[in-house]
């Protein structure tokens, strides 16, 4: 088994943080995304979308998409449960994981990809107007998240989950996207400080 890893990029990092929370070690194959290594043949033949991470099992089976990879390891190693427990708990984690991905991380990523000069060769065409339009989308979602975090410690309830991993990485990604977390969102700041202090956050 080996994991083709893209370093600091958000999606590869999501899987590394997840594995660290589980205490699972998987051999990494570093891919230099800055040098467009994710577009080389070794990735393209495993993932036609040429995106990372890519997990290759011992029998040659390939899994792509960060949440799918995480779910695979959740099935193999159910504890600690990072996709929730019980019918309602799993549904709640799924609900918030999708929200964090679709309405928050994607907005931050769009702002970064369409505005940052380093992404000019990646995002063709870059549409600066779309990048700017996504900044308020991310901030509007953070207001909703701040209200939710008033009621419990973590995003999907009282237990840490994959929704927190996605959320933490999205907040961290705001810096290169040049979006600041408003000072008044004290619940978001408290939560982010807490999840960032976990050892897994350094993965």
């Amino acid at each position: 088994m080996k994991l083709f890893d893209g370093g600091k990029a958000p999606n590869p990092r999501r899987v590394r943080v997840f594995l660290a929370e589980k205490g699972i070690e998987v051999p990494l194959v570093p891919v230099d995304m800055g040098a467009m290594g994710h577009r080389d043949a070794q990735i393209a033949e495993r993932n036609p979308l040429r995106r990372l991470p890519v997990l290759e099992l011992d029998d040659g089976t390939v899994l792509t998409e960060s949440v799918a990879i995480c779910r695979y390891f959740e099935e193999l190693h159910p504890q600690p449960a990072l996709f929730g427990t019980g019918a309602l708990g799993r549904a709640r984690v799924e609900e918030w994981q999708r929200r964090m991905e679709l309405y928050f991380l994607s907005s931050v990523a769009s702002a970064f990809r369409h505005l940052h000069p380093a992404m000019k060769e990646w995002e063709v065409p870059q549409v600066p107007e779309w990048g700017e339009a996504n900044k308020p989308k991310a901030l509007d979602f953070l207001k909703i998240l701040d209200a939710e975090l008033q009621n419990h410690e973590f995003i999907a309830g009282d237990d840490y989950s994959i929704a927190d991993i996605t959320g933490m990485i999205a907040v961290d990604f705001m810096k290169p996207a040049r979006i600041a977390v408003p000072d008044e969102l004290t619940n978001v700041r408290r939560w982010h400080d807490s999840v960032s202090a976990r050892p897994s956050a350094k993965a």
Side-chain angles (χ1 to χ4, degrees), residues 28-46:
L28 299 182
V29 179
V31 178
D32 186 351
M33 296 184 72
M36 297 293 185
H38 56 295
R39 298 187 180 179
D40 289 348
Q42 71 166 348
I43 301 303
E45 67 188 14
R46 292 171 170 87

Side-chain angles (χ1 to χ4, degrees), residues 80-163:
L82 299 180
F83 279 84
T85 56
L88 181 58
R90 284 190 288 270
R92 189 68 73 200
V93 169
E94 180 75 13
E95 173 186 54
W96 277 100
Q97 159 58 24
R98 286 181 61 79
R99 286 176 170 178
M100 301 308 293
E101 195 165 41
L102 295 174
Y103 306 123
F104 184 33
L105 179 57
S106 64
S107 292
V108 176
S110 291
F112 176 73
R113 294 177 72 94
H114 286 276
L115 291 170
H116 201 288
M119 298 301 292
K120 201 168 188 66
E121 294 182 26
W122 291 43
E123 198 65 44
V124 181
Q126 270 192 325
V127 183
E129 295 83 1
W130 179 239
E132 291 292 349
N134 273 278
K135 288 184 177 182
K137 291 175 183 286
L139 293 174
D140 286 345
F141 182 83
L142 278 183
K143 294 175 185 175
I144 295 171
L145 180 61
D146 192 75
E148 183 70 21
L149 287 168
Q150 186 174 356
N151 302 317
H152 35 75
E153 184 177 0
F154 298 110
I155 288 175
D158 295 326
D159 297 315
Y160 181 89
S161 74
I162 190 171

Side-chain angles (χ1 to χ4, degrees), residues 180-198:
V181 177
D183 291 338
E184 64 269 21
L185 300 185
T186 56
N187 296 313
V188 167
R189 288 180 170 275
R190 181 270 306 161
W191 158 82
H192 184 254
D193 288 344
S194 174
V195 294
S196 296
R198 298 171 76 92

